[in-house]
Amino acid sequence: MAPWRRSLAFGLCFVVLLSLTSRSWGYFYSDSHEGSTNDRFCFCQLQGTIDDCSCNVDTVDYYNNVKIFPRLKSLLVKDFFRYYKVHLEKECPFWVDDSKCAMRFCHVEHCEEKDIPPGLKGDVSSYHKYIKEVQTLTNCNEDLNAELGYLNTSISDKAHKEFQVWADYDEAQDNFCILDDHEPGAEYVDLLLNPERYTGYRGESARRIWSSIYLENCFQAHSVKKKSAYSAMIPYQDMARNEVCLEHRVFYRMISGLHSSINIHLCANYLLSEKGSLGFVAPTGLWGPNMEEFERRFSPHMTDNEGSHWLRNLYFAYLVELRALAKAAPYLRNEEYFTGLEKDDREVKMAVKDLLTVIEAFPSHFNETVMFSGGGTSAIKLKHEFREKFMNISKIMDCVGCDKCRLWGKLQVQGMGTALKILFSGKFDDKFDENGISTRLKQQQSPSLKLKRGEIVEFRQRMR
């Protein structure tokens, strides 16, 4: 898959994660109310509008639970989405930290070579039989003129290196995060065998990750003083109000939504016991929703009344991701989703097209055109700073001490970074009407889209 299409697909992956988060959240709300008058969990049931967007919570809940989530769930088990190539052995670039999660559940199971679909490994030999021209061609030498068809392929090694420099530079201008699947040491992981869940990773190492993200890489309001390492993980209310500009607020709310997504997944898939029902140590442990942990992380009395803001930021991040998918829909429709298994590839392509049609029909998409719209050098500088800060956060993921946490942290950050790339690179065309409502996207690729040299011809491994 070409790099830009692989990156676009990461956006789809993160919407999958957020949708699963929404369903996981349902565990806590429904279970805590069933047969009980205790209202201590009522903070789960948000209502009203979502700040900086034009829709409300109920609209998102209905659209996600009824229309989007069922479609996404069926895609999760497909090879194209379940296998993810990632580099988990990179050193932390910011500090020396040899802390590791001691639990056996932190370990990530890598794939054996034989289990990876051939198309994801770069074997495109079986892809040619899909092409209509190949299916109808009867004589490979037909109309062949050896002289006119001669192609001089004598390009020097030095020229090839220069081409790679150009490609790397082009890609660096649009990316909002680090993609390391092409680096030596990257390996395939089956995400179905390595689900995102609580591993016991906590303490100073985990606190330092979130402290660095919030205090060093989020835009700070002038009125906000730096807090302790633990408090740094708690978003400050100034960013939820209009005390900072829209761009700073969007950045913070995206990171806060990411944080909420991770926390809800951990609470929904928590290690309840290492023993099975018969009392013996279970190889995989006993997992399920942990109501007390969810309350500790989000209830008003445990979070200084900030928990509802963090949950609302999850909705905001969901809407930004949804908007990115809608904007990239014409390009994603043209992808083959190639794994080498013709039947599966055809089903995935049809399912993705159906999903994109549903997403495009969402009535209240986030309007990204109001951002970085001031013109002049100030807007350019702000966008550059926005991108650099998110790029830095993606690097921080290499400092996570738990392998499984690092895996899902990198995946979620890359998905969000891809959404930002789609929305703000200027290479994906879309229109809004006079009321700021997104009009239906054109079904063909925009002639203004400029693909990078390597992106046009190179099929990458896969995405998820």
Side-chain angles (χ1 to χ4, degrees):
M1 179 187 294
W4 73 276
R5 283 180 176 159
R6 179 187 175 281
S7 295
L8 289 180
F10 268 100
L12 179 58
C13 168
F14 190 68
V15 170
V16 170
L17 295 174
L18 287 178
S19 296
L20 288 177
T21 295
S22 180
R23 275 302 175 93
S24 298
W25 187 352
Y27 284 128
F28 305 106
Y29 179 69
S30 60
D31 289 356
S32 62
H33 283 74
E34 185 175 349
S36 173
T37 58
N38 190 341
D39 63 352
R40 62 184 180 139
F41 290 99
C42 285
F43 65 89
C44 304
Q45 190 179 26
L46 301 182
Q47 294 179 339
T49 60
I50 301 171
D51 296 338
D52 299 316
C53 295
S54 58
C55 67
N56 58 45
V57 169
D58 290 340
T59 301
V60 176
D61 282 341
Y62 169 78
Y63 222 82
N64 175 68
N65 294 336
V66 175
K67 297 188 176 184
I68 295 179
F69 177 80
R71 289 171 167 85
L72 288 170
K73 186 178 180 181
S74 66
L75 286 172
L76 281 174
V77 298
K78 298 296 185 180
D79 286 352
F80 188 84
F81 292 97
R82 67 183 287 183
Y83 292 103
Y84 173 56
K85 194 174 187 182
V86 61
H87 194 337
L88 296 177
E89 302 299 327
K90 298 174 69 174
E91 293 186 1
C92 174
F94 301 112
W95 58 76
V96 177
D97 189 353
D98 57 358
S99 61
K100 295 291 183 180
C101 179
M103 294 179 63
R104 58 192 172 100
F105 303 107
C106 296
H107 178 66
V108 171
E109 297 288 344
H110 293 279
C111 297
E112 295 186 17
E113 186 73 15
K114 63 181 179 61
D115 296 327
I116 304 170
L120 302 186
K121 295 185 291 185
D123 180 7
V124 298
S125 58
S126 58
Y127 172 69
H128 295 299
K129 68 181 180 181
Y130 292 4
I131 304 175
K132 182 177 180 180
E133 289 78 3
V134 173
Q135 295 172 352
T136 58
L137 188 62
T138 56
N139 184 358
C140 293
N141 295 316
E142 185 178 351
D143 296 328
L144 176 63
N145 186 306
E147 183 177 353
L148 294 178
Y150 171 72
L151 179 65
N152 187 338
T153 59
S154 57
I155 301 176
S156 67
D157 291 340
K158 181 179 179 180
H160 277 296
K161 292 179 181 179
E162 290 294 331
F163 297 157
Q164 186 60 48
V165 171
W166 296 346
D168 292 343
Y169 178 82
D170 288 344
E171 184 172 0
Q173 305 315 299
D174 295 327
N175 287 347
F176 278 73
C177 60
I178 303 297
L179 299 177
D180 55 20
D181 61 339
H182 61 286
E183 297 179 3
E187 297 183 78
Y188 277 101
V189 173
D190 185 340
L191 295 176
L192 295 185
L193 299 180
N194 295 275
E196 184 178 19
R197 57 191 183 186
Y198 175 78
T199 62
Y201 177 61
R202 58 172 61 192
E204 183 57 33
S205 178
R207 283 195 292 269
R208 181 157 51 175
I209 297 295
W210 289 111
S211 295
S212 180
I213 289 174
Y214 281 120
L215 293 183
E216 299 174 18
N217 292 285
C218 274
F219 294 94
Q220 296 286 329
H222 295 299
S223 62
V224 176
K225 297 180 180 180
K226 289 190 176 183
K227 306 176 182 180
S228 66
Y230 177 76
S231 298
M233 299 167 61
I234 302 177
Y236 39 85
Q237 293 188 20
D238 293 342
M239 283 295 184
R241 299 193 295 261
N242 295 324
E243 298 182 10
V244 295
C245 70
L246 174 63
E247 290 80 6
H248 290 188
R249 198 162 63 247
V250 166
F251 189 96
Y252 160 73
R253 297 191 71 191
M254 291 289 288
I255 299 303
S256 177
L258 170 72
H259 196 176
S260 295
S261 172
I262 292 173
N263 281 339
I264 294 174
H265 272 103
L266 303 186
C267 296
N269 207 359
Y270 200 91
L271 179 61
L272 302 178
S273 174
E274 294 196 32
K275 297 181 178 180
S277 58
L278 299 179
F280 299 104
V281 175
T284 58
L286 178 63
W287 302 82
N290 187 320
M291 314 302 172
E292 290 74 19
E293 185 68 17
F294 182 74
E295 182 183 16
R296 185 184 73 81
R297 293 175 184 262
F298 290 102
S299 67
H301 69 278
M302 296 292 289
T303 61
D304 194 22
N305 291 317
E306 285 278 10
S308 62
H309 292 300
W310 306 340
L311 294 176
R312 200 172 293 272
N313 288 340
L314 174 64
Y315 279 88
F316 177 81
Y318 179 91
L319 288 172
V320 173
E321 293 286 338
L322 204 65
R323 165 62 187 146
L325 279 176
K327 192 169 187 176
Y331 311 95
L332 290 172
R333 282 194 180 92
N334 290 329
E335 182 53 54
E336 293 296 334
Y337 301 95
F338 175 68
T339 65
L341 305 174
E342 183 175 2
K343 181 176 181 295
D344 283 356
D345 294 349
R346 184 169 60 252
E347 291 176 354
V348 169
K349 186 171 184 178
M350 292 176 61
V352 169
K353 287 182 177 181
D354 175 56
L355 173 64
L356 293 173
T357 300
V358 171
I359 290 174
E360 285 180 305
F362 183 72
S364 305
H365 278 294
F366 174 74
N367 182 1
E368 79 283 359
T369 63
V370 298
M371 296 177 60
F372 310 112
S373 58
T377 57
S378 60
I380 296 175
K381 181 180 178 181
L382 181 58
K383 181 186 287 189
H384 175 76
E385 189 177 6
F386 192 102
R387 173 182 167 274
E388 288 300 312
K389 285 183 177 294
F390 200 90
M391 182 76 73
N392 218 37
I393 290 174
S394 76
K395 296 177 182 177
I396 293 175
M397 292 300 103
D398 287 318
C399 301
V400 177
C402 163
D403 285 347
K404 191 162 291 183
C405 302
R406 180 182 293 201
L407 163 67
W408 285 95
K410 289 168 78 77
L411 190 150
Q412 288 220 36
V413 168
Q414 288 175 5
M416 184 171 282
T418 300
L420 297 175
K421 174 181 179 179
I422 294 169
L423 295 178
F424 302 122
S425 68
K427 295 188 175 181
F428 299 90
D429 191 27
D430 195 10
K431 297 179 180 179
F432 281 82
D433 62 20
E434 64 276 8
N435 297 317
I437 305 301
S438 177
T439 58
R440 185 171 181 82
L441 285 165
K442 293 180 290 186
Q443 298 303 306
Q444 301 299 323
Q445 292 193 16
S446 167
S448 64
L449 176 66
K450 299 178 180 178
L451 299 178
K452 295 185 276 292
R453 298 174 184 86
E455 291 172 342
I456 299 174
V457 298
E458 183 183 2
F459 278 83
R460 286 290 189 179
Q461 306 291 350
R462 46 126 355 253
M463 75 61 141
R464 205 291 190 182

